[in-house]
Amino acid sequence: MAQIPFLDLRASYLALQADIDAAVARVLDSGWYIQGPEVEDFETAYASYCDVSHCVGVASGLDALILALRALDIKAGDEVIVPSHTFIATWLAVSAVGATPIPVEPDLHSYNIDPARIRLAITSKTRAIIAVHLYGQPADLDPILAIAREHKLALVEDAAQAHGSAYKKRRIGAHGDVACWSFYPGKNLGALGDGGAITTDRADIAERVRTLGNYGSKQKYVNEEQGTNSRLDPLQAAILSVKLAHLEAWTERRRRIAERYSSGLQGVIKPHVPDWADPAWHLYVIRHPERDRLMSKLAEEGIHTLVHYPIAPHRQTAFANLGYAQGAFPVAERLADDLLSLPIGPHMPQEHQDRVIDAVNRHVSAM
Ligand SMILES: *Cc1c(COP(=O)(O)O)cnc(C)c1O
């Protein structure tokens, strides 16, 4: 039986091959390979897409988070609230600036940080909250913003999975102080290599991130502070500009697949979508108590699924220094045990979607 890949990145390239190849040739021929007009054009286009005043390209999503935290002066001794259930980069950005990630449990049904629990984690050292729009589903930003304002905390959005998603009909991009984006190839807006950006309505943050990512320099060989080298590559920017024009249509396709899954799947817990959310469906994530068995049954039929993520950050050896035992964040641990991401992508044929639905329903009813 034909294989159903988790995500067919080559199909996305082939769909735009002529335009992407022309964009690459244009950059190669320009003789200009760092910063410059391709990067500026993409930044302008992405800021406009997100309906924000500033977009600054950087080298990756992790760098976007690190530079956003640095721009907000988050440093050693500070605490930053993070979801207990997220990709590890959210936590790594906090530890990279010397601060301590303080985990807050998610809501079991939306998978996103539970605003009601944030207050309990705030101490005199708390400086910021990172809300992650996990799987492309927006976090519940209004109550989080209210807490941030009340306690004078910065709100950083980890939007690495949220290109095109909207909260209360307004696109993700500047609900908080700064939103951080990844253009890793598998993301909804993916480059053909690494890339990232921040978007914000705050000119001070945009300028600081741009300086920090350029060796702490605004003017060549004049260094205001100890920055780093983190810039969006012009080749990737040119490719991203081509893909950005198709993001809306591709997001619509993801939405239709998610609708098909949500109406067809039986016997599994499906993602809950609050009425204020327009998710971009980076991932379609179900829950089942016999996740591992279901996963291998599907694999036997050539259906490739993934687990995002099998080990909660507080249980990773990388964060053993924080000293969290098994059971410290039971919601995150439970999700790590029972989540399963089904194949989804803008070039997934309907016949594959139906095969996934049929196979999941068949195996689950036999369990
Ligand atoms: C992908 C991702 C990142 C990191 O992005 P990179 O470009 O891979 O560095 C950060 N946070 C989340 C939630 C992600 O999914």
Side-chain angles (χ1 to χ4, degrees), residues 144-159:
I144 300 174
L145 266 168
I147 297 167
R149 288 209 189 92
E150 184 187 329
H151 293 269
K152 299 195 167 30
L153 309 175
L155 177 57
V156 175
E157 297 170 72
D158 181 340

Side-chain angles (χ1 to χ4, degrees), residues 29-44:
D29 191 53
S30 74
W32 194 278
Y33 309 122
I34 292 287
Q35 295 181 322
E38 297 286 350
V39 176
E40 285 162 24
D41 287 353
F42 173 72
E43 288 174 342
T44 305

Side-chain angles (χ1 to χ4, degrees), residues 87-163:
F87 179 53
I88 197 158
T90 316
W91 287 44
L92 287 173
V94 176
S95 53
V97 301
T100 305
I102 304 294
V104 167
E105 291 268 61
D107 171 77
L108 253 186
H109 306 288
S110 73
Y111 314 131
N112 272 325
I113 196 165
D114 182 352
R117 303 193 204 215
I118 291 178
R119 233 175 256 284
L120 306 170
I122 295 174
T123 73
S124 59
K125 294 179 178 172
T126 313
R127 294 288 172 270
I129 301 167
I130 305 185
V132 182
H133 307 302
L134 201 65
Y135 310 148
Q137 168 121 255
D140 192 1
L141 289 166
D142 279 349
I144 300 174
L145 266 168
I147 297 167
R149 288 209 189 92
E150 184 187 329
H151 293 269
K152 299 195 167 30
L153 309 175
L155 177 57
V156 175
E157 297 170 72
D158 181 340
Q161 304 186 356
H163 317 76

Side-chain angles (χ1 to χ4, degrees), residues 211-232:
T211 307
L212 282 168
N214 190 37
Y215 297 107
S217 163
K218 284 197 192 80
Q219 193 189 334
K220 210 165 189 178
Y221 307 128
V222 180
N223 298 81
E224 297 172 18
E225 57 181 328
Q226 294 173 3
T228 183
N229 177 356
S230 183
R231 302 176 292 219
L232 180 61

Side-chain angles (χ1 to χ4, degrees), residues 20 24 49 56 80 93 104 129 156 165 183 188 195 221 274 320 324 341:
I20 289 176
V24 168
Y49 177 83
V56 180
V80 177
V104 167
I129 301 167
V156 175
S165 63
F183 304 122
N188 286 25
Y221 307 128
Y324 292 119
S341 305

Side-chain angles (χ1 to χ4, degrees), residues 71 88 132 140 147 171 187 266 284 287 294 310:
I88 197 158
V132 182
D140 192 1
I147 297 167
R171 280 220 178 108
K187 308 293 188 187
Q266 280 154 18
Y284 189 93
R287 298 176 52 211
L294 178 57

